[in-house]
């Protein structure tokens, strides 16, 4: 179910809402609350990060901020 007509919240506005859990997403105008990642998920992300870094040539800088951000 989408947001009521005339009510709008963009992605940047999520950080300004009080008492909002960090694992909140804005999908089609609705706030969706996800469960925090479990240990399996965190280990998988860490292994993926290690694999990407180990395969990159030394002269390239690798930016993995997308793997580490909450939203």
């Amino acid at each position: 179910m989408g947001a009521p007509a005339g009510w709008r919240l963009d992605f940047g506005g999520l950080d300004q809402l009080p008492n909002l859990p960090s694992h909140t997403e804005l999908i089609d105008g609705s706030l969706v609350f996800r469960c925090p990642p479990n240990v399996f998920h965190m280990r998988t992300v860490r292994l993926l990060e290690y694999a990407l870094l180990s395969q990159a040539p030394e002269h390239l800088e690798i930016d993995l901020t997308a793997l580490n951000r909450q939203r």
Side-chain angles (χ1 to χ4, degrees):
M1 179 164 122
W7 195 83
R8 182 180 172 101
L9 175 70
D10 61 9
F11 184 74
L14 285 179
D15 294 327
Q16 298 172 4
L17 291 175
N19 304 319
L20 197 61
S22 62
H23 295 282
T24 304
E25 298 181 26
L26 182 61
I27 300 176
D28 292 332
S30 298
L31 295 176
V32 178
F33 304 97
R34 306 255 184 218
C35 295
N38 59 22
V39 173
F40 173 79
H41 173 83
M42 292 185 298
R43 286 182 181 164
T44 303
V45 170
R46 191 177 323 131
L47 288 172
L48 177 60
E49 181 178 2
Y50 176 75
L52 290 171
L53 289 173
S54 68
Q55 296 298 314
E58 292 288 330
H59 66 280
L60 293 179
E61 181 179 333
I62 307 301
D63 182 11
L64 296 173
T65 54
L67 291 176
N68 296 322
R69 66 184 177 145
Q70 294 289 325
R71 290 191 196 123

